[in-house]
C-alpha cells in the first residue's frame, strides 16, 4: 500500500494524517533492521540521530554521500574528518549536545543498537539527492520510503518535505537493491574513527576562559579546534611532539630549541602553534625574525592554519592579518605592534637599523628565528679544527648573530628554525646552542660547563673521540646542566634528592660529595649521557622525511608518514641551444665577464643576466632590453620575491656577495654602474639582436609540452615553477593555448595572480587559486617562487622546474609543495630543465658526483653553495671546486636527533579555550 506525506510549516493537522515529528519514530518502533540512503555526509550524520534509531532492535546501516574525492580512499580517515569538520564546533554544539551523545552511543553500539555508516564519494554517482530507506520487522514484514525524510528542526518545522511510503514487495526490493548497490560499491568506505572520536568529543565539549586555561595549560585545548585540525590534515605526531616539548620546557625554564626538520615537514605550523601557546600564557610579546620573502607566507599560515592574528612590519608601518596598516608612533614605531605576535624582517637587523635596536628595549616571552643558519660567525675554523670559542660577537659574527646574542637574555624562550643547521662546519651547530644558552643555563650549563668548550665537546658529539667511561669523569658533563626530570626517572630522582625543581639548571655537588644510593643513581644516569641525554640531543630536533617514513608509530602500527617516492627527470638530458639562441647565450656570458672586470659589486648582480636568460629566452630578452634602455633600473630585475639577502648581510635593495657587508651592494657602487662601457653595450646589443632575430621557439617549451601532453602529466596535475614572472607568464600563455579546455592558473606576487579561462585572463586572489587546486578545479598551475612556500599542492602529482634557482633552498622548497604531508600518490615526478652549456648545466656537472651525498648529509643542499653558481658564471672554476671540496665529510647529526614521543590525547580534548577570548588576547599590542 502507498502512503503519501507532505510536511509543511503551519500545515493544518487535518491535511497531515501522520505528523512530521512522529513519522519515522512510529515506523522504527519494533523494527529489527533499517537500511538508509541518507544523502549528504556533513549533515546526515546528525540528522539520523533524530530518527528514533534506538527503537531498532537490530542492525542499522546508513550510506552517506560525501565530497571526499574517490582518489582519497587511501586517506579516507583524514579526508572524512575534513568533510565532517567543516562546520563550526560552537555552532554544532549549540544545536544540542544530546544529539552527539545519542549518535556516539549508536556508532559504538552502547545500549544495544549498532549503527554502521559508510561514506561514498560524490564522484562515483554524483550528488545523491534522493533519500530512501527500507525498514524490516519481525516475521518478514517490510516497508520502504522515498523522499526528504529528515527528522530535524529545519526538515519538519521550516521546510516543505515530501515522503512517499510503499510497503509492497516490489517497492521494498527496488529500494533495497539501490541501497545494496551503493553500500557495496568499492569506493564506499566505513565511517572513520576520527569522525566517531569527534562526535564523542563534541558530546563532552566545554569552553574555558583564558584564566581557567592558564590553570590547566593543556596545549590541545588551543589546538584541537584550530583550522589546521578542522580544515587541513591536523598536526602530525612529529609536529605535536615538538610543540609539546617546547611548551613543557617553556613552562619550566624557557624553551631553547633548534628545529631542524627537513623542508616540507611543517616547521612553520609547529613554531606558530608554540608561539600561540606562549602568547596566550603571558602578557609579554612574541617576536618572529625571518627573511622578508617569508613574511607574508608566515602571516598567511598563522591566520589560515591556526586562526592566529599577527602583524608584519613592512619597513614603514605594521600590517595586520586583514591587511590593515598601523603607522605607529614617530619615535619608536617598531614597538607599536598592534598584535601580540609581530613579524620583522631580518634585513632590518642585518643592516644595523636603529629601528631594530629598539627591539632590545622590550622583554619578550619568545623570540623565533626562521632560516636561522643566516646567523653565523664570519670565519669558520679549518675542517680539522673544532673551535674556537666566540669571544666577541660584535666582531666575530655577522650582524644577525650579534643581534640575537643581545636579545637572547631578554626573552624567556628562543626557537631557531633551519633545515640546514650545519652549512659548512659542525661548529655552526655549537654556535646555535651557544646563542640559545645566553640567558639560559639549561642549554649548555653555566660559565664553567664543559659543554661551553667546543674543542672539548664536539669531538665527543661527532664520534671522533670516545667519552669518559667512569662516572667521576662524566659527572661534570652530567651535572652542568643537569637534564630535566621528564627525560629519565634517574634525573627525576637526583632532582628530588637535592630538592632541585626543573627551573634550576646546575647541580652544585661534586661527584665525591655523593654517597650511597645517590652515587648509584648518578652512575646509572651518567652512563647514557653521551648516547641519549646530552645538550645537543636535547636542544636540536631534526626529523627527515626518510626517518618519518620508515619509523613505526606505536599508536597506529603504521609509519609516521606515508612514503612518497620521488622520480627525477631531465637529470641526464640538458636542453641543447643552437643557432641564434646559442649566440645570444654566449654574448650574455661575455657581457658578464666584462662587467666582472670593472665592477666591484656583488657576484649576484654581475651574473643577473645569466640567471634570467638561463630561465627562458623570454626573460633574457626583457632583461637585455631593460638594461639597454635604462641601466640604472637593472636593480629591479631580481627574482620576483628576492630580498637580496645572502649569508645574513644584506637588506632589500642591496646586492652583496657571499659573506660581504652591505657596503658591497648595488647602491654603494652606483657611481661605477651609472653607464655601460662601449664594450659592455656592444655585447648587450648583440645578445638582444640574436634573441630578436631568432625564429626558433624556446626549446624548453617543446620539452614542457611533451611531458604535459605526451606523458600525460597534465592529467595527473602539474605545478610549473619559475623564479621570474615573465617566464611564468610566457609558459602560462602557452599552456592556455595548448590546453584550451583546462583552466591555467598563475600564482605569483600580490596583484599578479589569476586564471586563464574562457579566452581571457582574470585576476584572482591567491586564496581562491589555492582552493580551486585543492578542490580539483585547477590541475595546471604556473608559479613563481612566491608559490614555493605556504602553498600545499598535494592534489598535484608532478612538478616542472622551468629554471633552476641558484639558491638551493628554493629548489627544495619547490619540491616540498608536492612531496609533502597529505600527498595521496606513492610516486611524485619532478622534471628539471636546463640549457646545455649554461651555468646551471656546468654546476650540475660539477656537483653531480656529490649531489646525493650532500642531500643525504644535510637533508638538502646548503645555501652556501649558491656561490658555486656565481664562481662558475664568472669563470672561477677553481674557486667553485674549492667550495665544493670544503663541505664537511660527515654531517654533525644523524638519526639520533629524530624524536617523536607520546602525543596521544590531543584529538580527544573536550575542554577548549573560548574562541573569542583567545582572539582578544592575541590582538593585544606590544606596548
Amino acid at each position: 500500500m502507498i502512503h503519501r506525506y507532505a510536511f509543511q510549516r503551519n500545515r493544518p493537522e487535518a491535511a497531515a494524517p501522520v505528523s512530521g515529528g512522529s513519522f519515522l519514530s512510529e515506523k522504527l518502533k519494533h523494527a529489527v533492521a533499517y537500511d538508509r540512503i541518507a544523502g549528504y555526509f556533513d549533515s546526515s550524520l546528525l540528522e539520523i540521530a533524530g530518527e528514533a534509531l534506538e527503537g531498532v532492535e537490530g542492525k542499522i546501516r546508513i550510506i552517506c554521500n560525501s565530497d571526499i574525492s574517490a582518489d582519497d580512499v587511501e586517506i579516507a580517515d583524514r579526508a572524512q574528518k575534513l568533510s565532517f569538520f567543516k562546520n563550526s564546533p560552537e555552532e554544532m554544539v549549540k544545536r544540542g549536545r544530546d544529539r552527539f551523545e545519542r549518535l556516539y552511543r549508536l556508532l559504538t553500539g552502547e545500549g544495544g543498537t549498532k549503527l554502521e555508516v559508510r561514506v561514498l564519494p560524490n564522484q562515483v554517482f554524483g550528488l545523491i539527492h534522493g533519500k530512501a530507506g527500507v525498514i524490516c520487522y519481525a516475521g518478514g514484514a517490510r516497508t520502504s520510503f522515498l523522499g526528504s525524510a529528515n527528522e530535524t528542526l529545519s526538515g519538519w518545522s521550516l521546510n516543505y518535505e515530501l515522503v512517499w511510503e510503499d510497503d509492497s514487495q516490489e517497492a521494498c526490493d527496488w529500494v533495497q537493491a539501490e541501497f545494496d548497490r551503493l553500500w557495496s560499491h568499492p569506493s564506499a568506505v566505513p565511517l572513520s574513527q576520527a569522525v566517531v572520536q569527534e562526535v564523542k568529543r563534541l558530546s563532552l565539549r566545554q569552553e574555558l576562559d583564558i584564566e581557567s586555561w592558564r590553570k590547566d595549560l593543556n596545549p590541545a585545548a588551543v589546538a584541537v579546534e584550530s583550522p589546521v585540525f578542522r580544515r587541513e590534515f591536523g598536526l602530525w605526531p612529529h609536529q605535536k611532539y615538538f610543540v609539546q616539548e617546547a611548551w613543557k620546557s617553556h613552562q619550566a625554564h624557557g624553551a631553547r630549541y633548534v628545529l631542524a626538520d627537513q623542508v616540507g615537514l611543517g616547521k612553520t605550523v609547529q613554531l606558530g602553534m608554540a608561539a600561540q601557546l606562549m602568547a596566550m600564557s603571558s602578557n609579554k610579546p612574541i617576536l618572529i625574525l625571518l627573511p622578508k620573502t617569508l613574511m607574508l607566507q608566515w602571516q598567511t599560515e598563522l591566520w589560515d592554519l591556526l586562526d592566529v592574528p599577527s602583524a608584519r612590519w613592512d619597513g614603514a608601518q605594521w600590517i595586520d592579518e586583514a591587511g590593515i596598516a598601523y603607522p605607529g608612533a614617530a619615535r619608536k614605531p617598531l614597538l607599536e605592534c598592534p598584535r601580540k605576535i609581530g613579524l620583522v624582517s631580518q634585513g632590518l637587523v642585518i643592516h644595523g637599523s636603529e629601528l631594530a635596536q629598539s627591539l632590545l628595549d622590550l622583554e619578550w616571552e619568545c623570540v623565533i628565528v626562521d632560516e636561522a643558519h643566516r646567523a653565523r660567525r664570519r670565519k669558520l675554523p679549518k675542517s680539522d679544527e673544532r673551535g674556537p670559542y666566540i669571544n666577541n660577537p660584535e666582531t666575530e659574527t655577522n650582524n644577525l648573530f650579534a643581534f640575537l646574542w643581545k636579545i637572547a637574555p631578554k626573552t624567556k624562550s628562543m626557537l631557531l628554525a633551519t633545515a640546514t643547521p650545519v652549512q659548512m662546519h659542525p661548529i655552526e651547530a655549537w654556535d646555535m646552542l651557544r646563542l640559545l644558552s645566553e640567558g639560559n643555563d639549561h642549554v649548555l650549563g653555566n660559565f664553567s660547563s664543559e659543554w661551553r668548550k667546543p674543542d672539548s665537546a664536539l669531538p665527543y658529539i661527532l664520534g671522533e673521540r670516545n667519552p669518559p667511561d667512569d662516572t667521576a669523569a662524566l659527572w661534570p658533563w652530567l651535572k652542568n646542566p643537569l637534564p630535566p626530570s621528564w627525560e629519565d626517572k634517574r634525573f627525576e630522582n637526583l632532582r628530588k634528592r637535592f630538592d632541585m625543581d626543573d627551573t634550576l639548571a646546575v647541580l652544585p655537588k661534586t661527584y665525591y660529595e655523593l654517597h650511597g644510593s645517590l652515587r648509584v643513581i648518578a652512575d646509572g644516569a651518567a652512563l647514557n649521557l653521551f648516547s641519549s641525554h646530552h645538550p645537543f640531543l636535547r636542544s636540536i630536533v631534526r626529523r627527515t622525511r626518510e626517518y618519518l617514513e620508515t619509523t613505526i608509530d606505536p599508536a597506529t602500527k603504521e609509519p609516521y608518514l606515508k612514503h612518497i617516492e620521488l622520480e627525477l627527470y631531465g637529470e641526464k638530458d640538458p636542453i641543447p641551444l643552437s643557432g641564434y639562441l646559442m649566440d645570444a647565450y654566449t654574448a650574455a656570458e661575455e657581457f658578464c665577464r666584462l662587467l666582472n672586470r670593472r665592477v666591484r659589486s656583488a657576484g649576484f648582480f654581475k651574473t643577473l643576466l645569466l640567471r634570467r636568460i638561463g630561465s627562458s629566452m623570454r626573460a633574457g630578452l626583457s632583461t637585455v632590453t631593460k638594461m639597454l634602455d635604462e641601466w640604472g633600473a637593472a636593480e629591479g630585475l631580481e627574482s620576483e620575491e628576492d630580498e637580496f639577502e645572502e649569508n645574513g648581510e644584506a637588506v632589500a635593495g642591496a646586492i652583496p656577495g657571499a659573506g660581504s657587508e652591505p657596503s658591497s651592494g648595488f647602491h654603494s657602487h652606483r657611481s661605477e654602474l651609472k653607464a655601460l662601457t662601449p664594450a659592455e653595450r656592444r655585447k648587450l646589443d648583440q645578445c638582444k639582436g640574436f634573441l630578436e632575430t631568432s625564429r626558433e621557439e624556446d626549446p624548453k617549451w617543446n620539452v614542457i609540452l611533451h611531458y604535459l601532453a605526451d606523458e600525460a602529466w597534465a592529467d595527473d596535475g602539474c605545478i610549473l615553477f619559475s623564479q621570474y614572472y615573465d617566464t611564468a607568464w610566457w609558459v602560462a600563455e602557452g599552456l592556455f593555448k595548448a590546453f584550451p579546455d583546462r583552466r591555467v592558473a598563475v600564482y605569483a606576487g600580490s596583484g599578479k595572480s589569476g586564471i586563464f579561462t574562457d579566452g581571457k585572463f582574470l585576476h584572482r586572489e591567491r586564496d581562491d587559486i589555492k582552493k580551486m587546486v585543492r578542490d580539483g578545479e585547477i590541475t595546471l598551475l604556473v608559479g613563481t617562487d612566491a608559490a614555493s612556500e605556504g602553498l600545499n599542492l598535494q592534489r598535484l602529482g608532478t612538478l616542472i622546474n622551468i629554471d633552476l634557482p641558484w639558491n638551493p633552498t628554493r629548489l627544495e622548497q619547490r619540491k616540498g609543495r608536492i612531496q609533502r604531508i597529505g600527498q595521496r600518490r606513492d610516486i611524485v615526478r619532478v622534471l628539471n630543465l636546463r640549457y646545455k652549456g649554461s651555468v646551471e648545466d656546468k654546476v650540475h656537472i660539477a656537483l653531480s658526483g656529490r649531489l646525493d651525498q650532500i642531500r643525504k648529509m644535510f637533508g638538502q643542499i646548503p645555501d652556501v653553495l649558491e656561490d658555486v653558481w656565481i664562481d662558475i658564471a664568472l669563470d672561477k672554476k677553481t674557486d667553485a671546486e674549492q667550495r665544493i671540496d670544503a663541505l664537511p665529510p660527515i654531517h654533525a647529526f644523524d638519526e639520533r636527533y629524530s624524536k617523536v614521543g607520546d602525543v596521544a590525547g590531543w584529538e580527544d580534548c573536550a575542554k577548549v579555550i573560548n574562541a573569542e577570548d583567545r582572539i582578544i588576547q592575541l590582538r593585544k599590542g606590544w606596548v
Side-chain angles (χ1 to χ4, degrees):
M1 182 180 295
I2 296 174
H3 300 283
R4 305 175 185 87
Y5 306 100
F7 307 114
Q8 178 183 341
R9 182 170 35 182
N10 302 323
R11 184 182 180 88
E13 270 305 308
V18 178
S19 67
S22 61
F23 170 70
L24 281 172
S25 297
E26 291 295 324
K27 296 297 177 182
L28 291 173
K29 282 182 180 178
H30 312 301
V32 297
Y34 178 31
D35 285 343
R36 170 85 142 91
I37 302 172
Y40 197 65
F41 170 63
D42 276 347
S43 59
S44 63
L45 279 178
L46 302 179
E47 292 167 359
I48 57 179
E51 296 181 0
L53 299 182
E54 290 92 339
V56 179
E57 299 173 6
K59 184 179 291 188
I60 303 169
R61 298 187 298 174
I62 309 289
I63 184 74
C64 294
N65 194 207
S66 170
D67 60 358
I68 300 170
S69 166
D71 295 329
D72 286 339
V73 169
E74 291 185 5
I75 54 170
D77 196 71
R78 290 183 180 274
Q80 287 183 37
K81 178 179 173 181
L82 300 187
S83 183
F84 183 70
F85 283 14
K86 285 180 179 177
N87 299 310
S88 160
E90 296 94 335
E91 294 302 317
M92 294 171 78
V93 172
K94 279 180 184 177
R95 300 176 196 170
R97 192 188 310 275
D98 61 312
R99 301 171 76 208
F100 294 98
E101 294 172 352
R102 295 174 63 199
L103 181 55
Y104 181 72
R105 289 198 303 270
L106 290 166
L107 290 169
T108 57
E110 293 181 11
T113 303
K114 177 63 176 177
L115 170 63
E116 291 184 27
V117 179
R118 290 186 183 177
V119 179
L120 184 65
N122 60 27
Q123 291 177 328
V124 179
F125 295 108
L127 287 174
I128 302 175
H129 285 291
K131 297 180 181 179
V134 177
I135 304 171
C136 300
Y137 302 96
R142 294 183 299 170
T143 190
S144 64
F145 66 86
L146 301 175
S148 48
N150 293 332
E151 197 156 329
T152 63
L153 176 64
S154 62
W156 298 125
S157 305
L158 303 178
N159 298 334
Y160 184 82
E161 304 281 347
L162 293 175
V163 175
W164 186 295
E165 183 193 7
D166 190 338
D167 60 5
S168 69
Q169 180 174 333
E170 180 184 9
C172 291
D173 287 347
W174 183 80
V175 174
Q176 188 67 56
E178 288 301 308
F179 173 88
D180 291 343
R181 186 164 68 99
L182 299 177
W183 181 264
S184 59
H185 193 278
S187 295
V189 294
L191 185 67
S192 79
Q193 285 304 304
V195 173
V196 178
Q197 185 179 44
E198 177 67 358
V199 170
K200 179 182 180 180
R201 192 189 72 82
L202 291 173
S203 73
L204 302 171
R205 185 179 183 275
Q206 299 177 37
E207 288 191 358
L208 305 175
D209 58 29
I210 291 285
E211 293 307 316
S212 298
W213 175 76
R214 284 180 176 176
K215 295 174 184 176
D216 180 48
L217 294 174
N218 182 359
V222 178
V224 71
E225 291 187 355
S226 63
V228 74
F229 267 80
R230 307 201 66 80
R231 296 199 299 266
E232 302 293 333
F233 283 86
L235 290 179
W236 293 72
H238 71 281
Q239 297 173 322
K240 286 187 282 190
Y241 172 79
F242 175 78
V243 173
Q244 193 166 271
E245 287 297 297
W247 181 229
K248 183 164 48 179
S249 297
H250 179 77
Q251 296 172 67
H253 47 66
R256 302 276 173 141
Y257 287 98
V258 178
L259 179 59
D261 283 351
Q262 198 172 12
V263 170
L265 297 181
K267 287 191 293 293
T268 304
V269 74
Q270 296 175 72
L271 295 167
M273 181 62 74
Q276 177 183 201
L277 290 167
M278 295 173 192
M280 298 288 296
S281 67
S282 166
N283 292 322
K284 291 181 181 179
I286 308 289
L287 171 65
I288 301 178
L289 285 169
L290 62 164
K292 182 181 178 182
T293 54
L294 300 183
M295 288 179 67
L296 183 58
Q297 174 241 321
W298 256 84
Q299 187 173 43
T300 300
E301 288 203 18
L302 286 174
W303 186 244
D304 288 354
L305 299 182
L306 302 177
D307 200 22
V308 169
S310 65
R312 72 181 193 278
W313 179 258
D314 75 347
Q317 58 191 349
W318 286 101
I319 309 292
D320 72 9
E321 69 284 349
I324 298 173
Y326 298 77
R331 195 169 68 88
K332 291 187 177 180
L334 195 58
L335 301 186
E336 296 287 329
C337 181
R339 296 288 183 264
K340 199 73 172 292
I341 298 175
L343 284 62
V344 176
S345 168
Q346 292 171 1
L348 201 66
V349 172
I350 291 163
H351 195 50
S353 165
E354 290 185 11
L355 279 176
Q357 296 305 306
S358 68
L359 296 172
L360 300 174
D361 294 344
L362 297 183
E363 295 290 327
W364 305 92
E365 189 69 12
C366 183
V367 173
I368 295 173
V369 185
D370 201 0
E371 301 293 327
H373 59 269
R374 293 166 176 245
R376 49 204 311 244
R377 58 173 69 199
R378 295 184 186 278
K379 185 178 180 181
L380 292 173
K382 295 180 180 178
S383 59
D384 58 347
E385 295 177 346
R386 292 294 171 243
Y389 181 84
I390 295 174
N391 292 305
N392 187 348
E394 293 286 350
T395 59
E396 296 177 28
T397 68
N398 64 16
N399 293 348
L400 181 57
F401 192 103
F403 178 84
L404 295 179
W405 187 285
K406 293 177 183 177
I407 206 171
K410 296 178 175 291
T411 180
K412 180 177 181 179
S413 289
M414 177 177 271
L415 305 175
L416 307 179
T418 172
T420 51
V422 170
Q423 290 271 308
M424 295 295 290
H425 193 286
I427 193 67
E428 293 170 294
W430 183 89
D431 285 345
M432 286 192 178
L433 296 197
R434 181 66 186 88
L435 190 58
L436 292 176
S437 69
E438 278 299 290
N440 192 312
D441 291 343
H442 291 268
V443 182
L444 292 178
N446 63 21
F447 65 93
S448 64
S449 170
E450 296 294 323
W451 295 106
R452 288 180 177 258
K453 306 169 186 175
D455 54 342
S456 298
L458 282 175
Y460 292 143
I461 300 303
L462 298 172
E464 298 170 347
R465 186 186 306 163
N466 292 326
D469 56 6
D470 68 284
T471 310
L474 286 170
W475 182 249
W477 297 87
L478 175 67
K479 75 187 187 79
N480 190 2
L482 183 66
S485 61
W486 60 78
E487 278 198 21
D488 191 285
K489 193 71 176 177
R490 287 165 290 199
F491 302 139
E492 182 181 1
N493 289 338
L494 281 173
R495 286 182 171 274
K496 284 181 178 178
R497 296 291 291 270
F498 287 104
D499 196 23
M500 284 180 62
D501 62 25
D502 282 307
T503 63
L504 301 175
V506 182
L507 201 165
K509 300 288 186 180
T510 68
Y511 180 73
Y512 298 103
E513 292 177 274
L514 306 180
H515 300 285
S517 60
L518 276 177
R519 186 168 289 189
V520 174
I521 297 173
D523 290 346
L527 290 176
N528 292 324
L529 175 64
F530 279 94
S531 63
S532 306
H533 298 291
H534 61 71
F536 281 70
L537 287 172
R538 182 178 311 117
S539 298
I540 297 172
V541 179
R542 168 182 161 82
R543 281 78 59 95
T544 64
R545 173 168 289 280
E546 181 182 9
Y547 167 79
L548 295 173
E549 289 176 347
T550 56
T551 304
I552 301 299
D553 182 351
T556 64
K557 311 303 181 187
E558 298 287 338
Y560 284 111
L561 281 186
K562 172 187 171 183
H563 176 65
I564 302 173
E565 191 78 25
L566 180 69
E567 287 186 354
L568 287 176
Y569 293 77
E571 293 299 286
K572 298 180 180 179
D573 303 305
I575 300 170
L577 288 174
S578 60
Y580 288 119
L581 296 182
M582 186 67 221
D583 293 338
Y585 193 91
T586 301
E589 286 183 310
E590 292 171 357
F591 166 79
C592 290
R593 293 189 191 110
L594 288 171
L595 194 64
N596 182 49
R597 295 172 192 164
R598 178 173 69 92
V599 176
R600 292 182 294 115
S601 59
F604 186 103
F605 179 73
K606 290 182 288 190
T607 59
L608 183 58
L609 177 56
L610 284 178
R611 290 173 184 251
R612 290 179 63 85
I613 202 170
S615 171
S616 69
M617 293 300 155
R618 174 75 63 90
L621 179 59
S622 66
T623 304
V624 171
T625 302
K626 191 167 186 178
M627 284 180 164
L628 286 169
D629 291 347
E630 188 182 354
W631 173 241
E635 61 176 313
L637 291 170
E638 69 274 10
S639 58
E640 184 199 27
E641 301 291 324
D642 211 325
E643 188 189 8
F644 294 130
E645 287 187 311
E646 297 182 23
N647 297 329
E649 296 294 342
V651 291
I655 312 174
S660 62
E661 292 295 332
S663 61
S664 66
F666 182 92
H667 295 293
S668 302
H669 296 271
R670 186 174 295 278
S671 59
E672 61 182 321
L673 295 176
K674 280 185 177 178
L676 292 166
T677 66
E680 290 165 356
R681 178 169 287 277
R682 187 162 52 251
K683 284 302 172 186
L684 284 181
D685 280 328
Q686 287 178 1
C687 183
K688 182 181 179 182
F690 290 139
L691 290 171
E692 290 179 334
T693 303
S694 176
R695 296 184 178 181
E696 296 177 73
E697 177 67 76
D698 190 317
K700 284 188 178 182
W701 171 249
N702 293 327
V703 179
I704 292 170
L705 197 59
H706 167 73
Y707 277 91
L708 290 177
D710 301 339
E711 301 295 330
W713 283 27
D715 295 336
D716 205 24
C718 186
I719 168 72
L720 299 95
F721 271 116
S722 172
Q723 57 192 320
Y724 301 113
Y725 185 74
D726 38 14
T727 295
W729 182 264
W730 161 66
V731 171
E733 278 188 314
L735 293 179
F736 172 60
K737 295 172 184 176
F739 299 92
D741 57 334
R742 294 178 185 261
R743 292 189 179 102
V744 177
V746 176
Y747 191 96
S750 178
K752 296 181 180 179
S753 298
I755 300 172
F756 283 99
T757 183
D758 296 330
K760 54 189 174 182
F761 180 78
L762 302 175
H763 286 283
R764 296 291 291 269
E765 293 296 323
R766 291 192 287 191
D767 285 346
D768 294 338
I769 295 174
K770 286 182 188 179
K771 184 178 185 302
M772 295 176 77
V773 172
R774 187 169 59 242
D775 294 343
E777 298 176 38
I778 291 175
T779 57
L780 287 176
L781 179 65
V782 186
T784 66
D785 282 306
S788 68
E789 275 290 340
L791 182 61
N792 301 331
L793 300 172
Q794 299 95 323
R795 284 283 180 188
L796 308 180
T798 63
L799 183 153
I800 297 176
N801 286 310
I802 307 167
D803 51 41
L804 302 179
W806 292 12
N807 185 320
T809 296
R810 290 196 171 179
L811 200 57
E812 297 292 331
Q813 288 169 342
R814 291 179 181 183
K815 178 170 65 72
R817 296 311 96 202
I818 62 171
Q819 191 186 23
R820 67 185 297 109
I821 292 171
Q823 173 60 257
R824 67 175 184 265
R825 299 167 184 81
D826 295 326
I827 299 173
V828 295
R829 294 170 287 175
V830 175
L831 169 65
N832 293 326
L833 301 180
R834 66 186 190 278
Y835 297 124
K836 188 172 184 179
S838 65
V839 174
E840 293 81 7
D841 189 36
K842 293 173 184 175
V843 171
H844 185 274
I845 293 170
L847 289 176
S848 59
R850 295 197 59 187
L851 277 178
D852 288 342
Q853 174 193 355
I854 292 169
R855 281 199 179 96
K856 185 175 181 181
M857 190 181 349
F858 292 92
Q860 66 178 62
I861 304 174
D863 285 357
V864 293
L865 287 185
E866 180 172 2
D867 297 331
V868 171
W869 273 258
I870 294 174
D871 288 338
I872 288 179
L874 299 178
D875 250 357
K876 298 179 181 178
K877 185 177 180 182
T878 301
D879 291 350
E881 291 173 348
Q882 288 175 351
R883 292 185 192 276
I884 296 170
D885 293 339
L887 290 174
I890 61 171
H891 194 278
F893 311 107
D894 57 21
E895 66 277 1
R896 292 185 302 154
Y897 291 82
S898 293
K899 301 168 189 152
V900 182
D902 181 13
V903 290
W906 283 49
E907 285 80 1
D908 297 329
C909 183
K911 291 183 178 180
V912 297
I913 197 162
N914 178 274
E916 185 176 351
D917 288 352
R918 185 182 63 82
I919 291 293
I920 289 173
Q921 171 72 2
L922 294 173
R923 281 190 169 149
K924 293 179 179 178
W926 282 1
V927 293

